[in-house]
Amino acid sequence: MGLVFRAAAAAQGLGEDLRGAAVRHWRGLSRTPKHEAPWEEEAEAAGPEFLLPNERSFQNAAKSNNLDLMEKLFDKKVNINAVNNMNSTALHFAVGANHLSAVDFLLNHKARVDVADKHGLTVIHLAAWSGGLEIMLLLVRAGADQRAKNQDGMNALHFAAQSNNVRIVEYLIQDLHLKELDQPDEKGRKPFLLAAERGHVEMIEKLVFLNLRTSEKDKEGNTALHLAAKHGHSPAVRVLLTQWQEINETNEKGETPFFLAVEGGHEECCKVLAAAGSDINIPNQLNITALQTATRKGHASLVSFLLSEHVDLHPKVEPKESPLHLAVLNNHVTVVNSLLSARHDTDALDQRRQTPLHVAADLGHVELVEALLQASCDLKAIDKQGKTALAVASRSNHSLVVDMLIKAERYYAWREEHGESSRDPSVSFPLTFKQDHSVETRHIRRLLWNLAYRQLKAGEWQRLARSWNFTDEQIRAIEEQWSGKESFREHGYRALLIWLHGALLTQAAPVKHLYEELVRAGFPELAGQPPRSLSPGLEGC
């Protein structure tokens, strides 16, 4: 406390020296311009200005601590208490910019200290916010109302706590004994909650020391721990945890501090709270879990952290959309892969009884469809409208996804028929259902293109497809992407590429197999010559 009293005495002496000094003394003080405060920018955008030219110049001089100009304008009888369109005076700007010399000049010339701007801000609020203890001392001595509130119910203690001005708090509580300032504002937040919301560790510790710590909630049911966690202030959370017993307390929306930290994507804060014993599975009032929130927002590293903490993948209360649905819906590929690696249920149903594959197929997300297909999801599941993922993709005109789904249906049907490990070990092609652009298959794809676009006639590709055990649903799905009378050529080429996908995964010599299949299907004229003359060098493709 000795430091505060010494600062007060020094400021008092400075004030007396300033008031008794000659005009030359004003010219020697600092005139370094400061950055404009936020409320100044608002004033500039508030509409037409009603100040006289000299009054506007005087306010600008107060903003920039230009004492020469202030003195000249004062000698011209300028109204130093004139207000702008926000009802702010020159003293507001001088205090807000923490210009001690300009403030002292104004007070020495009887500037009013009781004017509130359109938001109810007085100079005592601005001094508490900007942190100028010397200015605060001058204002108090000039009669400024220390208990004034703005329109949001905030007083000087609120502003000092919010801006981490410890010396101002000490002065208000220990010197002026204004403990009654420790009241909730219009949002129900006491200074302690505002300090926590801003993550001011020093202020939190000072308020605890002054017995101004509170476990009370604001009007939204948030404690100080909620507010610090919501904004990701890990150091503040650590300090608050030493003061807190119930870390799983919920606000009006049923959100715990941990839930709010996840919602904000604050991973470090989540780790601190989890280590302190937070329940990571508590849903909010809408039965939305922290995992769902992280997946919806695409916080990949947070999802990985939650999975490492053994978060409940399948809560007892059935959610409207599973975490996997939300990750797919928002096209978060990394999150989807993390959930699949953690063995999330690939066949979970949402309110429309759609699986994640239905959603990915409907949106045409190729990478997500690929990931789900490789996870062996249920291809036969139907939604409320009785549609499979293939029917949904076909309806949405996503031809790439349609082809991927047909490839998967055929591959898994073949594997089921021949056993799980029956894939030919000599085949080196990786399991993928995406469109093939590999160099290794370029020649055989050219052969198939020539077959589809130059040799197959309308209706023939369907006949060939049926001989290869394409289902009627698969054929209809291909046909649904119609682009004109010549569509059958594109459809045929797609069917041939789908056949090639299966042949590459199950056959050692796909070109030879194609020759045999064309003959067997009743197209000997298309088969033509034996494989070597059909496509030199490709018989072992």
Side-chain angles (χ1 to χ4, degrees), residues 197-215:
E197 183 180 35
R198 294 298 181 100
H200 297 319
V201 172
E202 185 182 7
M203 180 59 68
I204 291 170
E205 292 174 337
K206 176 57 65 175
L207 292 172
V208 170
F209 174 77
L210 295 173
N211 293 319
L212 298 181
R213 175 235 186 240
T214 179
S215 59

Side-chain angles (χ1 to χ4, degrees), residues 209-281:
F209 174 77
L210 295 173
N211 293 319
L212 298 181
R213 175 235 186 240
T214 179
S215 59
E216 295 177 27
K217 297 181 177 182
D218 65 13
K219 290 184 178 180
E220 295 179 347
N222 293 307
T223 64
L225 187 59
H226 279 91
L227 296 173
K230 179 179 181 178
H231 296 282
H233 301 308
S234 300
V237 167
R238 287 189 177 92
V239 172
L240 290 169
L241 285 172
T242 64
Q243 306 285 323
W244 237 259
Q245 292 183 343
E246 183 48 66
I247 62 174
N248 292 318
E249 199 168 2
T250 59
N251 62 15
E252 293 296 319
K253 295 181 180 179
E255 299 161 332
T256 64
F258 182 84
F259 185 98
L260 291 175
V262 170
E263 188 173 47
H266 307 304
E267 185 174 350
E268 179 61 28
C269 210
C270 292
K271 290 180 178 179
V272 171
L273 288 164
S278 292
D279 187 339
I280 65 176
N281 291 309

